[in-house]
mmCIF file of all heavy atoms in Angstrom:
data_model
loop_
_atom_site.group_PDB
_atom_site.id
_atom_site.type_symbol
_atom_site.label_atom_id
_atom_site.label_comp_id
_atom_site.label_asym_id
_atom_site.label_seq_id
_atom_site.Cartn_x
_atom_site.Cartn_y
_atom_site.Cartn_z
ATOM 1 N N TYR A 30 8.300 -11.121 4.014
ATOM 2 C CA TYR A 30 9.065 -10.608 2.874
ATOM 3 C C TYR A 30 8.089 -9.957 1.896
ATOM 4 O O TYR A 30 7.214 -10.611 1.458
ATOM 5 C CB TYR A 30 9.853 -11.755 2.230
ATOM 6 C CG TYR A 30 10.802 -12.511 3.119
ATOM 7 C CD1 TYR A 30 10.327 -13.474 4.006
ATOM 8 C CD2 TYR A 30 12.143 -12.201 3.073
ATOM 9 C CE1 TYR A 30 11.322 -14.141 4.812
ATOM 10 C CE2 TYR A 30 13.061 -12.877 3.924
ATOM 11 C CZ TYR A 30 12.603 -13.771 4.748
ATOM 12 O OH TYR A 30 13.481 -14.514 5.614
ATOM 13 N N SER A 31 8.388 -8.738 1.619
ATOM 14 C CA SER A 31 7.495 -8.013 0.659
ATOM 15 C C SER A 31 8.409 -7.264 -0.374
ATOM 16 O O SER A 31 9.448 -6.846 -0.071
ATOM 17 C CB SER A 31 6.540 -6.989 1.340
ATOM 18 O OG SER A 31 7.329 -6.152 2.168
ATOM 19 N N SER A 32 7.865 -7.123 -1.588
ATOM 20 C CA SER A 32 8.623 -6.479 -2.614
ATOM 21 C C SER A 32 7.740 -5.713 -3.575
ATOM 22 O O SER A 32 6.609 -6.199 -3.902
ATOM 23 C CB SER A 32 9.400 -7.604 -3.486
ATOM 24 O OG SER A 32 10.261 -7.009 -4.417
ATOM 25 N N ASP A 33 8.165 -4.568 -3.988
ATOM 26 C CA ASP A 33 7.361 -3.757 -4.877
ATOM 27 C C ASP A 33 8.325 -3.062 -5.894
ATOM 28 O O ASP A 33 9.418 -2.643 -5.547
ATOM 29 C CB ASP A 33 6.635 -2.627 -4.101
ATOM 30 C CG ASP A 33 5.087 -3.018 -4.067
ATOM 31 O OD1 ASP A 33 4.628 -3.673 -4.904
ATOM 32 O OD2 ASP A 33 4.490 -2.562 -3.098
ATOM 33 N N ALA A 34 7.735 -2.867 -7.033
ATOM 34 C CA ALA A 34 8.476 -2.146 -8.089
ATOM 35 C C ALA A 34 7.959 -0.706 -8.165
ATOM 36 O O ALA A 34 6.775 -0.469 -7.949
ATOM 37 C CB ALA A 34 8.314 -2.765 -9.456
ATOM 38 N N PHE A 35 8.820 0.269 -8.541
ATOM 39 C CA PHE A 35 8.468 1.650 -8.631
ATOM 40 C C PHE A 35 9.239 2.151 -9.812
ATOM 41 O O PHE A 35 10.340 2.549 -9.820
ATOM 42 C CB PHE A 35 8.869 2.382 -7.330
ATOM 43 C CG PHE A 35 8.160 3.684 -7.184
ATOM 44 C CD1 PHE A 35 6.778 3.796 -7.074
ATOM 45 C CD2 PHE A 35 8.880 4.898 -7.110
ATOM 46 C CE1 PHE A 35 6.096 5.015 -6.917
ATOM 47 C CE2 PHE A 35 8.221 6.136 -6.980
ATOM 48 C CZ PHE A 35 6.804 6.186 -6.851
ATOM 49 N N PHE A 36 8.528 2.186 -11.025
ATOM 50 C CA PHE A 36 9.189 2.342 -12.287
ATOM 51 C C PHE A 36 8.760 3.662 -12.964
ATOM 52 O O PHE A 36 7.580 4.028 -12.869
ATOM 53 C CB PHE A 36 8.836 1.230 -13.315
ATOM 54 C CG PHE A 36 9.509 -0.129 -13.002
ATOM 55 C CD1 PHE A 36 10.312 -0.269 -11.820
ATOM 56 C CD2 PHE A 36 9.422 -1.151 -13.841
ATOM 57 C CE1 PHE A 36 10.945 -1.380 -11.525
ATOM 58 C CE2 PHE A 36 10.092 -2.349 -13.641
ATOM 59 C CZ PHE A 36 10.837 -2.494 -12.439
ATOM 60 N N GLU A 37 9.744 4.291 -13.597
ATOM 61 C CA GLU A 37 9.472 5.570 -14.314
ATOM 62 C C GLU A 37 8.505 5.328 -15.519
ATOM 63 O O GLU A 37 8.647 4.297 -16.204
ATOM 64 C CB GLU A 37 10.758 6.148 -14.777
ATOM 65 C CG GLU A 37 10.560 7.519 -15.547
ATOM 66 C CD GLU A 37 11.877 8.164 -15.899
ATOM 67 O OE1 GLU A 37 12.966 7.704 -15.412
ATOM 68 O OE2 GLU A 37 11.890 9.052 -16.772
ATOM 69 N N ASN A 38 7.544 6.147 -15.630
ATOM 70 C CA ASN A 38 6.503 6.090 -16.672
ATOM 71 C C ASN A 38 5.548 4.992 -16.438
ATOM 72 O O ASN A 38 4.629 4.788 -17.234
ATOM 73 C CB ASN A 38 7.149 5.958 -18.108
ATOM 74 C CG ASN A 38 7.977 7.102 -18.516
ATOM 75 O OD1 ASN A 38 7.702 8.270 -18.065
ATOM 76 N ND2 ASN A 38 9.041 6.934 -19.287
ATOM 77 N N VAL A 39 5.633 4.276 -15.310
ATOM 78 C CA VAL A 39 4.584 3.331 -14.941
ATOM 79 C C VAL A 39 3.961 3.783 -13.574
ATOM 80 O O VAL A 39 2.773 3.857 -13.491
ATOM 81 C CB VAL A 39 5.227 1.858 -14.731
ATOM 82 C CG1 VAL A 39 4.104 0.951 -14.195
ATOM 83 C CG2 VAL A 39 5.806 1.383 -16.054
ATOM 84 N N HIS A 40 4.811 4.188 -12.653
ATOM 85 C CA HIS A 40 4.321 4.669 -11.405
ATOM 86 C C HIS A 40 4.500 6.201 -11.203
ATOM 87 O O HIS A 40 3.959 6.759 -10.296
ATOM 88 C CB HIS A 40 5.020 3.916 -10.269
ATOM 89 C CG HIS A 40 4.794 2.502 -10.251
ATOM 90 N ND1 HIS A 40 5.700 1.616 -10.856
ATOM 91 C CD2 HIS A 40 3.849 1.714 -9.717
ATOM 92 C CE1 HIS A 40 5.171 0.363 -10.746
ATOM 93 N NE2 HIS A 40 4.078 0.380 -10.106
ATOM 94 N N PHE A 41 5.419 6.785 -11.994
ATOM 95 C CA PHE A 41 5.698 8.203 -11.870
ATOM 96 C C PHE A 41 6.337 8.709 -13.125
ATOM 97 O O PHE A 41 6.876 7.936 -13.958
ATOM 98 C CB PHE A 41 6.655 8.477 -10.638
ATOM 99 C CG PHE A 41 8.011 7.921 -10.890
ATOM 100 C CD1 PHE A 41 9.023 8.594 -11.405
ATOM 101 C CD2 PHE A 41 8.279 6.622 -10.470
ATOM 102 C CE1 PHE A 41 10.314 8.052 -11.621
ATOM 103 C CE2 PHE A 41 9.524 6.063 -10.665
ATOM 104 C CZ PHE A 41 10.541 6.802 -11.287
ATOM 105 N N LYS A 42 6.321 10.008 -13.297
ATOM 106 C CA LYS A 42 7.118 10.717 -14.331
ATOM 107 C C LYS A 42 8.120 11.613 -13.622
ATOM 108 O O LYS A 42 7.745 12.189 -12.531
ATOM 109 C CB LYS A 42 6.178 11.590 -15.175
ATOM 110 C CG LYS A 42 5.348 10.750 -16.227
ATOM 111 C CD LYS A 42 4.556 11.657 -17.101
ATOM 112 C CE LYS A 42 3.818 10.945 -18.152
ATOM 113 N NZ LYS A 42 4.660 10.422 -19.232
ATOM 114 N N LYS A 43 9.255 11.682 -14.137
ATOM 115 C CA LYS A 43 10.345 12.395 -13.412
ATOM 116 C C LYS A 43 10.071 13.951 -13.339
ATOM 117 O O LYS A 43 10.685 14.550 -12.483
ATOM 118 C CB LYS A 43 11.712 12.176 -14.107
ATOM 119 C CG LYS A 43 11.806 12.644 -15.573
ATOM 120 C CD LYS A 43 13.133 12.290 -16.151
ATOM 121 C CE LYS A 43 13.271 12.832 -17.602
ATOM 122 N NZ LYS A 43 14.554 12.515 -18.197
#
Side-chain angles (χ1 to χ4, degrees):
Y30 299 83
S31 56
S32 183
D33 255 334
F35 198 61
F36 286 8
E37 185 176 340
N38 297 331
V39 176
H40 300 94
F41 66 91
K42 286 183 176 290
K43 62 182 180 181

